[in-house]
């Protein structure tokens, strides 16, 4: 499996804003969206191009355009929703599938409560969106859902990761590229990433 850690200074600066306990809900939500946009830029690096002709004001030119590859954003409810708008601002034609999975607070295992995908998911490049890759249980379950639905091309975009999550994805889905902005030290007893940024869903939606 490949893990790409985005070390770009702009991303690292924005990640620091997310980590800060004093960052309020408005800024937190905006910065999640901005980071998602920058992550999408990286995730789309290898999309195939084709040559097309356009007429500029000066002359006809043979130039590059995306070769019609279709994208599906797959936010894991609910924190993944915070990453959708930033990516849609770059790729407005992407379809959005939803997977509702929550972590059982006792077992930390993922439990599905909602799933809705476009019918042609199998022919789309799928970006699973979940700001936090902690135990990896939720991300691995989402990747399995997509594969069961026929998806062939899957990437996971997680703003912040921890080693157990990265290892789980490596073991269960070696074909899924993980794109993240940092891999922190460890998980605490409640499954939170340390030092992390707290509960991403609560901080995006202001529910704490
Ligand atoms: N989910 C979160 O929102 N934060 C963590 O630290 C781990 C999982």
């Amino acid at each position: 499996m490949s893990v790409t850690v985005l070390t770009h200074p702009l991303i690292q600066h924005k990640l620091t804003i997310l980590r800060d306990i004093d960052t309020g809900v408005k800024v937190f939500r905006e910065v999640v969206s901005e980071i998602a946009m920058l992550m999408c830029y990286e995730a789309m690096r290898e999309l195939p191009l084709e040559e097309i002709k356009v007429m500029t004001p000066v002359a006809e030119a043979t130039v590059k355009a995306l070769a019609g590859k279709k994208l599906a954003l797959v936010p894991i409810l609910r924190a993944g929703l915070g990453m959708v708008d930033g990516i849609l601002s770059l790729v407005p034609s992407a379809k959005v599938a939803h997977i509702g999975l929550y972590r059982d607070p006792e077992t930390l295992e993922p439990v599905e409560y909602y799933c809705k995908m476009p019918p042609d998911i199998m022919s789309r490049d799928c970006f699973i969106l979940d700001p936090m890759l902690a135990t990896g249980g939720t991300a691995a379950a989402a990747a399995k859902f997509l594969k069961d639905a026929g998806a062939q091309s899957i990437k996971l975009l997680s703003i912040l990761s921890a080693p157990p999550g990265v290892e789980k994805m490596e073991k269960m889905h070696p074909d899924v590229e993980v794109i993240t902005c940092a891999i922190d030290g460890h998980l605490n007893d409640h499954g939170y990433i340390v030092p992390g940024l707290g509960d991403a869903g609560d901080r995006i939606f202001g529910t704490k």
Side-chain angles (χ1 to χ4, degrees):
M1 181 189 75
S2 76
V3 182
T4 304
V5 180
L6 304 179
T7 55
H8 193 288
L10 185 58
I11 290 185
Q12 293 302 311
H13 178 82
K14 288 180 184 293
L15 177 57
T16 297
I17 295 172
L18 295 187
R19 289 185 189 278
D20 190 337
I21 193 173
D22 291 326
T23 298
V25 62
K26 177 176 182 290
V27 172
F28 192 92
R29 194 183 294 141
E30 287 167 359
V31 173
V32 164
S33 196
E34 289 168 2
I35 292 180
M37 194 191 303
L38 295 167
M39 293 178 83
C40 170
Y41 180 77
E42 175 65 28
M44 296 184 73
R45 180 177 292 282
E46 281 157 22
L47 281 191
L49 291 169
E50 62 184 0
E51 290 199 335
I52 61 166
K53 289 192 191 309
V54 294
M55 185 62 75
T56 79
V58 179
E60 185 181 80
T62 303
V63 291
K64 312 248 185 250
L66 287 173
K69 202 83 163 100
K70 294 184 292 181
L71 190 62
L73 309 182
V74 190
I76 300 179
L77 303 179
R78 80 185 150 136
L81 290 174
M83 299 175 72
V84 171
D85 284 352
I87 299 180
L88 282 180
S89 66
L90 286 183
V91 200
S93 60
K95 293 278 166 62
V96 183
H98 291 88
I99 298 184
L101 293 166
Y102 68 90
R103 278 197 309 171
D104 183 298
E106 301 294 322
T107 65
L108 303 183
E109 288 298 314
V111 182
E112 180 215 341
Y113 63 93
Y114 187 77
C115 184
K116 184 84 179 171
M117 301 193 188
D120 60 350
I121 192 84
M122 62 291 288
S123 61
R124 290 179 176 270
D125 281 335
C126 299
F127 291 177
I128 299 173
L129 309 178
D130 191 352
M132 309 299 276
L133 177 60
T135 63
T138 309
K144 180 169 184 315
F145 258 68
L146 287 172
K147 287 181 181 176
D148 289 348
Q152 313 271 329
S153 161
I154 306 172
K155 292 184 200 293
L156 169 66
L157 278 59
S158 281
I159 293 175
L160 193 54
S161 301
V166 173
E167 282 156 23
K168 185 154 202 159
M169 287 302 290
E170 196 159 39
K171 188 162 160 232
M172 296 184 67
H173 299 289
D175 53 330
V176 174
E177 183 187 2
V178 175
I179 298 176
T180 189
C181 306
I183 302 176
D184 276 7
H186 63 282
L187 301 179
N188 68 15
D189 293 344
H190 304 287
Y192 282 95
I193 297 175
V194 181
L197 51 75
D199 188 301
D202 280 339
R203 295 196 67 192
I204 290 167
F205 296 107
T207 43
K208 212 168 204 172

